[in-house]
Amino acid sequence: MSADISPQLPSDPKEFKPFFKEEPLRIVRNLASALKGDPPRRPSRPLTSTEQTQLHNILQACSSVAITPSAEKQLSLKGILGIVTGTVPNTRWEFPEPERALATTIFADFSAQNWGAPPPPLPTPSSASSASSPSPGPDPPSAMPTMSAPPLSPRARAPPPPHHPIYGARGIMRGVLWHRNPRRVSYSLDPRFPRPSAKRYGHNGIPVGAWWPSQLCALRDGAHGHAQAGIAGSAEGEGAYSVVIAGSGAYRDLDRDFGDTVHYSGVVGGGVGTRALRQNLETGKPVRVLRSSAGEWRGRPSVGVRYDGLYRVVEEKVVRGEGEERYARFLLEREGGQREIERGRPSGRERRDFERVVEGY
């Protein structure tokens, strides 16, 4: 339940150049130049393990940035991600598949947030439809505004058959591309698949009890704004939109999950996630809480990730962890008047489908 995806990596755009010793875009361009070579003077070559690690760290750091138009411009995020995914014109290189898949997911993540620009207003129902629905619920995900992303590059994984039971239009992995190489299986969002923005407070059209096989799928449906980070939101705005309780990371000894109340920890004064939750405490904005099967509460989902409703950040305390280090610990309390937490999700069928995810298509 860490407030920051990778505490050792920078999340502030101002810290990127000092950390990596050079502008990230320049590093990525140099790596692309090595991959494509300059025949006959300089032949192409694969990335070394050190270079691939450096690239992976740059992408991980990019994924933890609180996206804003100024952050995108300062870091040239579209340029970095475009080079790695191979969507820039006249591409003559090919980055390793794990990094291309990660860059594709980050691009889709930021596109779903409209690259930090204000989201378009929700559609206003007509007076006639309002009269026929005296107690309308939240807008379904299909009615929410969606953000566009570039088409797949020629080297990207082909999409699944539309009627595939797991990856097809009605499957639990719809809108997700499956990648496999000799070393690993990875997943990325299909940038052509329409997705609602996760950059909204409240339920955002997500019913309490909704379940996904992975956090990536929660991003796909607008429940959470990051494929990996535990907190999605802005430290400069009104706070976090959502958190994922995973029961792991640097704060495992401090975090506690009791169902209706949660202790969620972060570094004192530091990371974007910590500052975002502090904004929720000040503004009173609710936070969507998603639980992972990796959590500690006995009511957590058996596999995957489940949406358990809206919580309020009601308290912040400074506590000491192991080694007498100081941490910020937030108390989140579940709002009343919501459906009870659906401990029965995932269902038996969903668990069986989950077992088939790794088979791909």
Side-chain angles (χ1 to χ4, degrees):
M1 288 185 287
S2 165
D4 301 289
I5 177 173
S6 298
Q8 75 275 17
L9 297 176
S11 58
D12 187 333
K14 298 178 182 178
E15 301 170 353
F16 273 62
K17 184 176 180 179
F19 184 89
F20 292 109
K21 312 300 184 185
E22 197 174 353
E23 294 288 352
L25 179 61
R26 182 182 294 273
I27 294 174
V28 173
R29 282 175 172 167
N30 289 338
L31 295 178
S33 178
L35 287 170
K36 74 177 182 179
D38 188 16
R41 292 179 298 171
R42 187 179 70 248
S44 61
R45 61 170 178 82
L47 297 184
T48 66
S49 59
T50 299
E51 289 172 334
Q52 190 169 352
T53 298
Q54 182 184 42
L55 174 62
H56 191 83
N57 286 341
I58 288 174
L59 294 175
Q60 289 280 30
C62 288
S63 73
S64 68
V65 169
I67 186 65
T68 63
S70 62
E72 190 284 319
K73 182 177 180 180
Q74 187 173 351
L75 291 174
S76 300
L77 289 171
K78 291 181 181 179
I80 291 173
L81 299 174
I83 291 173
V84 179
T85 57
T87 55
V88 298
N90 302 317
T91 298
R92 292 169 48 202
W93 57 82
E94 185 168 340
F95 280 93
E97 187 170 346
E99 281 64 48
R100 284 193 289 118
L102 176 58
T104 299
T105 296
I106 297 170
F107 193 104
D109 180 352
F110 289 159
S111 295
Q113 299 181 63
N114 203 24
W115 297 90
L122 287 170
T124 304
S126 65
S127 56
S129 60
S130 299
S132 62
S133 304
S135 300
D139 294 308
S142 60
M144 301 293 285
T146 58
M147 309 303 171
S148 61
L152 292 175
S153 69
R155 294 186 303 276
R157 179 69 164 91
H163 300 297
H164 192 279
I166 306 300
Y167 288 84
R170 300 178 65 86
I172 61 173
M173 294 291 285
R174 62 193 178 277
V176 175
L177 301 176
W178 180 80
H179 312 262
R180 183 171 188 170
N181 61 34
R183 291 183 299 172
R184 58 178 288 184
V185 170
S186 61
Y187 309 88
S188 64
L189 291 179
D190 185 341
R192 300 165 303 173
F193 191 85
R195 294 185 314 278
S197 170
K199 202 172 182 180
R200 297 188 184 280
Y201 294 102
H203 293 294
N204 199 24
I206 309 298
V208 174
W211 174 86
W212 303 271
S214 69
Q215 191 170 320
L216 180 66
C217 294
L219 166 63
R220 174 201 66 201
D221 290 348
H224 188 61
H226 287 293
Q228 299 181 60
I231 296 179
S234 171
E236 309 301 329
E238 296 183 283
Y241 304 103
S242 56
V243 301
V244 175
I245 301 175
S248 60
Y251 314 108
R252 186 170 193 141
D253 294 333
L254 298 172
D255 295 336
R256 294 291 181 270
D257 185 3
F258 303 102
D260 287 340
T261 60
V262 175
H263 287 133
Y264 202 104
S265 304
V267 293
V268 171
V272 172
T274 301
R275 300 199 305 272
L277 285 177
R278 190 170 291 129
Q279 286 294 98
N280 290 90
L281 180 61
E282 295 178 2
T283 64
K285 289 290 187 182
V287 180
R288 291 188 295 277
V289 167
L290 289 74
R291 282 187 171 86
S292 164
S293 60
E296 63 175 22
W297 182 47
R298 63 182 181 181
R300 67 188 183 276
S302 57
V303 293
V305 179
R306 184 185 65 214
Y307 175 48
D308 284 348
L310 298 176
Y311 287 63
R312 299 275 179 177
V313 182
V314 299
E315 180 182 86
E316 178 187 4
K317 285 186 177 181
V318 176
V319 298
R320 294 189 180 275
E322 296 182 359
E324 295 300 306
E325 296 181 4
R326 298 166 71 244
Y327 298 92
R329 186 165 71 179
F330 298 91
L331 174 61
L332 282 63
E333 293 184 349
R334 194 170 192 263
E335 286 190 341
Q338 304 181 85
R339 293 176 57 179
E340 294 294 322
I341 296 175
E342 291 203 29
R343 300 194 191 191
R345 298 292 299 275
S347 65
R349 176 176 179 177
E350 288 168 335
R351 289 194 298 271
R352 290 190 296 272
D353 286 349
F354 179 86
E355 295 298 325
R356 299 179 59 187
V357 166
V358 71
E359 299 172 4
Y361 52 87

